[in-house]
Amino acid sequence: MKETMGQIIKKLRKERNLTQEDLAEQLGVTAQAISKWENDYGLPDISQVIPLATVFNVSTDVLFGFCGKNETDEIKKIIADAYSKITYPKTKENVKLCYDEIENGAEKYPNNVLLLHHFLEIGASLAYPESPYYDAENGESIYKKCIRKANIIIKNSRNVPDILRANRIMCLLHAAYGSFAIAKSHAEEFPKRSDMTVYFMKANISHFEKDYASENRFLQNDLIHHINPMIDDIVNIGLCYFRLEEYEKAEFAYCQALDFIKLICQKEDSFLFFHFREKGDIYSLLAEVYLKQGRVDDALITLEKMVNCDVNIIQTFVLEKSMVSPLLCEVGPNFYVKYRKYKGWLLNKLKNPAFDEIRSDERFVKLQTKASECRVRQ
């Protein structure tokens, strides 16, 4: 016999260790209303169906009893199929194909948090004007769709990291589209301390357990998650100076970022991937500064360093490899470049229009050839 909606709500509530009062508080209704639903003395108002599904992290089909037990597998397949659309080198067009697949899945399962987050991440890469995959034609409409998805998470999720991720994307997109007051309200949701991380807290617990090996591992993972934002901050400071046409200060910032990376990687046999940032490769950014200063030779030397560094990474690629430094050797292989398509990234960096003025230079041609001919170790 098919379960009633009330029975389904009761089962889902208990599976999630919620009391009727807990559920009522999240939905903005009374505990008596929850009791009536669960005892089939009434049904939720249609306006409560989506919030209910969001709280339980299920599709609305589940509440109506139309969804079988294979929902999780189907959602994983939707996500896997969507990301299979992204071929390398990664382009705006194949990212849009991935987005379309995720959007179709989100229409079928409108309240699945996993799908909602993938929708936001992929959507933001298309809607954010400074993204290399920005879709000028569809960006604003995708931005508006992202707002709706993010608000579902922010208003209904009980998971703090989920809420912060949604706030982060909303902060970036609202600012990019001129809604500065709303962007600032999202920014205020973030903690002001940088040590409020899961790794730092777990390290403290391990310390009092006298499990110093685990404490060491957690602290190293905390450190790597501080290093990356530090490099990004230095690079972004350089970008600010570049846009202000203060090229000497921009050069200083980029050089400091590279020196910091060298310090981190001094025991490694490659430069890892730290120089490749979201806003651009640091070598490439530095070369642009030199060209603005008319220092063509310095620009070419810098690009040679970039190509040599990337070729080394490509040719010494080892999937299982971990870092050597005693400060970071416990973070595992996740922070080594693991993408066999890294060569595509290198070729794309050399296509930067900023280098058009030196594209015919013999040294630049040699760099393009070297990048094209390098092979990943099999």
Side-chain angles (χ1 to χ4, degrees):
M1 184 177 177
K2 185 178 178 181
E3 288 181 302
T4 66
M5 180 179 282
Q7 290 170 331
I8 292 170
I9 292 172
K10 186 174 184 178
K11 180 181 70 176
L12 292 171
R13 175 178 64 78
K14 289 189 172 183
E15 285 176 353
R16 287 151 181 78
N17 296 316
L18 296 173
T19 65
Q20 289 183 340
E21 288 76 14
D22 291 335
L23 183 56
E25 183 180 355
Q26 291 193 55
L27 296 174
V29 300
T30 64
Q32 288 80 4
I34 303 296
S35 178
K36 286 182 179 180
W37 299 346
E38 293 185 351
N39 288 290
D40 294 316
Y41 292 135
L43 291 172
D45 185 87
I46 191 66
S47 65
Q48 295 290 349
V49 173
I50 289 180
L52 257 174
T54 302
V55 169
F56 293 142
N57 192 19
V58 297
S59 74
T60 53
D61 284 350
V62 172
L63 295 177
F64 288 105
F66 297 137
C67 189
K69 295 182 178 179
N70 293 323
E71 178 183 346
T72 300
D73 290 339
E74 184 175 355
I75 287 169
K76 288 180 179 178
K77 185 176 187 307
I78 289 170
I79 294 169
D81 288 346
Y83 281 93
S84 72
K85 305 291 183 186
I86 299 180
T87 55
Y88 290 86
K90 195 174 179 181
T91 64
K92 175 186 73 177
E93 289 72 24
N94 58 45
V95 172
K96 182 63 165 59
L97 289 174
C98 175
Y99 168 83
D100 291 340
E101 292 280 328
I102 295 289
E103 184 177 27
N104 290 337
E107 287 177 2
K108 184 173 182 180
Y109 300 105
N111 305 291
N112 182 274
V113 172
L114 184 59
L115 271 173
L116 288 176
H117 277 301
H118 283 285
F119 184 98
L120 287 180
E121 296 289 347
I122 295 296
S125 69
L126 292 166
Y128 189 55
E130 294 191 3
S131 164
Y133 314 111
Y134 173 57
D135 185 340
E137 182 180 352
N138 302 295
E140 188 166 0
S141 66
I142 294 173
Y143 154 59
K144 292 175 180 177
K145 291 177 182 178
C146 284
I147 292 173
R148 292 194 287 272
K149 304 298 185 187
N151 282 333
I152 292 173
I153 296 172
I154 292 168
K155 290 179 180 178
N156 298 292
S157 178
R158 301 182 73 196
N159 185 288
V160 173
D162 287 348
I163 294 170
L164 289 178
R165 285 175 67 193
N167 273 299
R168 173 184 174 273
I169 290 174
M170 284 300 90
C171 184
L172 293 174
L173 290 182
H174 278 306
Y177 285 86
S179 297
F180 302 119
I182 301 174
K184 289 174 182 177
S185 71
H186 284 286
E188 288 297 327
E189 297 300 317
F190 290 85
K192 293 179 173 62
R193 294 183 55 168
S194 62
D195 59 349
M196 297 174 66
T197 70
V198 61
Y199 297 115
F200 187 79
M201 298 305 170
K202 287 184 176 180
N204 276 286
I205 295 168
S206 297
H207 175 78
F208 287 104
E209 291 176 330
K210 301 189 185 304
D211 181 0
Y212 301 123
S214 293
E215 181 184 6
N216 185 23
R217 184 174 69 255
F218 288 133
L219 287 172
Q220 289 191 30
N221 276 278
D222 190 55
L223 177 60
I224 198 76
H225 282 86
H226 281 75
I227 286 171
N228 274 304
M230 285 176 64
I231 297 172
D232 282 336
D233 281 347
I234 298 170
V235 170
N236 289 334
I237 289 170
L239 281 166
C240 288
Y241 283 128
F242 182 84
R243 289 163 185 150
L244 292 168
E245 298 184 4
E246 297 185 43
Y247 299 125
E248 287 187 10
K249 291 180 179 178
E251 175 190 350
F252 178 83
Y254 296 146
C255 288
Q256 290 299 301
L258 289 171
D259 285 345
F260 181 50
I261 294 169
K262 288 176 186 175
L263 179 65
I264 298 165
C265 300
Q266 60 181 313
K267 285 184 172 291
E268 313 301 326
D269 58 6
S270 77
F271 223 25
L272 307 178
F273 72 110
F274 288 112
H275 63 294
F276 189 55
R277 313 312 301 172
E278 184 178 359
K279 297 290 180 68
D281 188 292
I282 304 174
Y283 284 115
S284 179
L285 294 171
L286 181 58
E288 287 186 54
V289 168
Y290 288 143
L291 289 176
K292 287 291 186 181
Q293 296 173 310
R295 296 161 60 183
V296 173
D297 191 56
D298 286 334
L300 285 165
I301 290 171
T302 301
L303 290 174
E304 285 170 357
K305 290 179 180 177
M306 179 184 77
V307 171
N308 290 337
C309 177
D310 284 10
V311 167
N312 183 37
I313 291 173
I314 293 165
Q315 292 181 338
T316 61
F317 175 93
V318 179
L319 185 63
E320 305 84 10
K321 192 168 186 176
S322 295
M323 297 179 71
V324 175
S325 168
L327 295 177
L328 296 167
C329 59
E330 294 294 328
V331 300
N334 293 336
F335 289 92
Y336 250 95
V337 172
K338 299 194 297 183
Y339 303 103
R340 289 184 177 270
K341 304 298 182 182
Y342 193 76
K343 177 180 174 179
W345 299 351
L346 172 56
L347 294 173
N348 275 345
K349 287 186 283 188
L350 291 173
K351 292 177 183 177
N352 187 339
F355 304 142
D356 285 350
E357 64 178 279
I358 57 173
R359 199 164 300 283
S360 60
D361 187 288
E362 182 181 351
R363 287 174 293 175
F364 191 89
V365 173
K366 287 182 179 179
L367 290 178
Q368 288 181 304
T369 302
K370 184 173 184 177
S372 299
E373 292 178 351
C374 74
R375 295 288 181 269
V376 177
R377 184 176 68 183
Q378 299 299 320

